[in-house]
Amino acid sequence: MKRIRQKSLGLLCAACLMDAAPSVLSQENWPRFRGARADGVAREDSRLPEVWDKSTNVKWSAEVPGWGWSSPVVWGDQVFLTSVVSEAENIHPQKGLYRGEGVRDPAKGVHHWMVYCFDRYAGAMLWKREAHTGNPKVPRHPKNTYAAETPTTDGQRLYVLFGDLGLYCYDLDGQPVWSHPIEPKKTFMDYGAAASPVVHEGQVFVVYDNLEASWIAAFDAATGQIRWQQRRDEERSWATPFVWDNELRTEIVVPGKNRNRSYSLTGERLWEFDGDMSNLVIPSPFAAQGLCYIASGYVGDAHRPTFAIKPGAKGDITPKAGGDYTDSPYIEWYQPKASPYNTTQIVYRDHLYTVHDQGFLTCHNARTGELVYGKKRFQPAASFTASPWAYNGYLFCLSEDGQTYVLKAGPEFEIVRVNNLDELCLATPAIADGRLFVRTASRLYCISGGARAKDVAHAGSTDVQPAQPSDIWAATREGNRNALIHDLDEGASGNARDPQEGSTPLNTAVLFGQTEIVKLLLDRVSLSPGETRVCFEYQRGYEYKDAGRTLYLADFDAKKPSITNARAFANAEGANRWFAHPRWTKDEAAIVYHASPSLSLYTLKDGTTRKVSTNPRAEYRYPHTAGAPK
């Protein structure tokens, strides 16, 4: 089946003309998530930094109370940011992948939903406002916060969305203008809301997909009144809507698990198609080269598509049964496995870059979809949630550990240096008027000027080393059987979790299609102390869906090696449950395992199972110990 097909030379020429004149707006201000054009690209500016750390080239940094992963937005001499401050101690967000569930209960204690305004040039707090005070009514994703949505501004007013709570409008001096409550709904796996608002020509667009009553709505920017609202047959998308101002019309593009859709500015549906999107839809649409890019890439799914859409589509553009997506005259190209999970892709110059959460970068031709280079590993190893940005010929990728990888843009993968802020970072930075604004877990940094990356290379940065074969996860990804056997023989655990990605070697082998490695790891995972039996988890299709998680017990022959007589002893069919890290007792009489949200003990002699603990916040959620439990 043909995946990639060029359609129109005229379209490419038009794209070149459009990109030749970036707006002044995107240079001086950064009014929404990923900037005025939602593409993460800033105009070339010698004042923009390429080298930094906690003190180098930092014009100022300011403490930000509470927790939030919203991005800064900038207008004039003001920087706006949101946060939520709790009066009680709760689980703090942590990096990595969480393949299973949200935090099932709302956070404890009284919370304060805050809006902050900082001086762009000095960092002083100009004003702060409390949008709401109370106890949270909904749970959230373990790595998320109650301030996930990035505010937006049109230069007259600031529009702040706390997704399961309400939409709040302030003038730029911080005076409340209007507010509109949002009735909280149950979200998939209790992950909560995350899509940011967008303002355009007097309307504020908000998308709230959930398990009960999903919708997209347009609010009057001046009054807060609903101008129009449409129900959506969606449950699992958190992408920020994109106002696509193309050569033919202005439309609102919103991806979804069931359908990718476009709406007119008055709410009519313009086009839609079933893209067989991944189980969770998070990356936000954006436009470049005259095309609109739509993607979803949940790590557990086999189909992780990226689509490049041409302007002018009408009606249902889903291909007929057995057809190719590019049979549609409005789908310029399509790649079936080119998308990230949390991050949003970026087109810079002629290339589409994809930063994968697990610490890889891929590159495609932005106009044709052709692969330029496949998965290249960031070194030092890292995981990512923030979306990349670009300027001055470089691509910047901010890891969850606060390391920004500076890569030379182009057809070769080349890390020039790594700038380290040494703190948890999940928010996408903002860029305005020669300054970079980076939010960490506790601070907002304003960075500008300094030396060029090419002049200092790795000096003062984290050392950049190629992947070593002794890395059990690298050996698994690359299918290096000998290196993996060596690692396992040296004591590496087949149940260990990658500190950067949170995945086990078995997870990694399945994800990268390393069949022989999967077989090897199945023979190694959770061996009994006497190496006569093995315990392992199998999940139907290995797609992290709602059913099919099963723990198996099997006889093990260490000489072959092989497993026989496999039989299930724990099953989560049809339930939102998962298993983690089974461990044998030293006498091989029982197996201890975590089946969310409890710790269970399975006794082999009589085949009985009993709960040992039911504390969902206990440390046994991810037991890293390599030894058998006492």
Side-chain angles (χ1 to χ4, degrees), residues 188 307 389 550 568:
F188 178 71
F307 297 93
W389 68 97
T550 305

Side-chain angles (χ1 to χ4, degrees), residues 161-167 180-185 206 208 215 219:
L161 176 66
F162 294 111
D164 300 294
L165 186 64
L167 180 63
H180 191 286
I182 293 176
E183 182 181 356
K185 301 292 184 181
V206 174
Y208 186 25
W215 50 263
F219 297 84

Side-chain angles (χ1 to χ4, degrees), residues 150-426:
T150 297
T152 186
T153 180
D154 54 11
Q156 294 180 303
R157 292 171 288 268
L158 178 71
Y159 310 94
V160 178
L161 176 66
F162 294 111
D164 300 294
L165 186 64
L167 180 63
Y168 302 85
C169 177
Y170 301 86
D171 67 23
L172 298 192
D173 293 324
Q175 297 305 309
V177 178
W178 55 261
S179 64
H180 191 286
I182 293 176
E183 182 181 356
K185 301 292 184 181
K186 182 174 178 58
T187 55
F188 178 71
M189 302 297 280
D190 294 316
Y191 285 168
S196 299
V198 177
V199 61
H200 180 79
E201 295 185 353
Q203 296 188 103
V204 183
F205 302 112
V206 174
V207 174
Y208 186 25
D209 287 345
N210 55 75
L211 297 181
E212 299 179 54
S214 300
W215 50 263
I216 178 175
F219 297 84
D220 186 284
T223 67
Q225 297 298 310
I226 296 179
R227 288 194 182 180
W228 58 263
Q229 184 170 355
Q230 297 285 357
R231 292 183 65 89
R232 285 172 48 79
D233 179 24
E234 298 292 344
E235 295 182 347
R236 305 181 184 187
S237 55
W238 293 264
T240 295
F242 172 55
V243 178
W244 186 16
D245 189 7
N246 57 59
E247 60 188 17
L248 298 178
R249 65 192 177 204
T250 301
E251 54 194 288
I252 310 161
V253 180
V254 186
K257 173 70 174 70
N258 298 324
R259 292 262 162 168
N260 298 308
R261 300 176 179 90
S262 169
Y263 303 86
S264 73
L265 296 181
T266 52
E268 292 82 14
R269 192 177 301 176
L270 299 176
W271 54 263
E272 65 179 1
F273 72 97
D274 180 358
D276 188 22
M277 305 297 275
S278 66
N279 201 35
L280 307 177
V281 180
I282 299 174
S284 298
F286 66 99
Q289 313 287 6
L291 301 168
C292 179
Y293 298 87
I294 300 175
S296 71
Y298 179 55
V299 293
D301 287 347
H303 191 237
R304 303 181 296 276
T306 295
F307 297 93
I309 309 298
K310 292 172 60 176
K314 296 179 181 179
D316 191 341
I317 62 172
T318 306
K320 295 180 181 180
D324 186 85
Y325 282 109
T326 54
D327 290 340
S328 168
Y330 298 106
I331 299 180
E332 179 72 10
W333 59 261
Y334 150 70
Q335 282 280 8
K337 296 184 179 181
S339 296
Y341 177 27
N342 278 298
T343 69
T344 294
Q345 297 158 311
I346 188 170
V347 170
Y348 187 46
R349 297 177 176 172
D350 294 327
H351 297 110
L352 171 74
Y353 299 95
T354 303
V355 177
H356 296 268
D357 299 54
Q358 308 98 315
F360 300 92
L361 184 72
T362 61
C363 179
H364 291 79
N365 185 301
R367 294 186 172 98
T368 68
E370 294 175 327
L371 183 67
V372 176
Y373 58 76
K375 287 185 175 179
K376 301 295 184 181
R377 179 74 168 174
F378 286 98
Q379 289 292 338
S383 57
F384 296 84
T385 294
S387 298
W389 68 97
Y391 52 70
N392 294 352
Y394 292 104
L395 180 70
F396 299 84
C397 306
L398 174 61
S399 79
E400 293 181 332
D401 288 316
Q403 296 176 324
T404 299
Y405 297 76
V406 184
L407 299 97
K408 185 178 295 184
E412 302 293 332
F413 178 80
E414 180 184 349
I415 299 176
V416 178
R417 63 173 286 109
V418 182
N419 301 323
N420 197 357
L421 291 178
D422 194 27
E423 189 177 13
L424 184 64
C425 291
L426 273 70

Side-chain angles (χ1 to χ4, degrees), residues 560-577:
K560 293 186 179 179
S562 65
I563 57 172
T564 56
N565 193 27
R567 59 272 191 196
F569 69 89
N571 187 281
E573 188 80 24
N576 290 328
R577 303 180 67 197

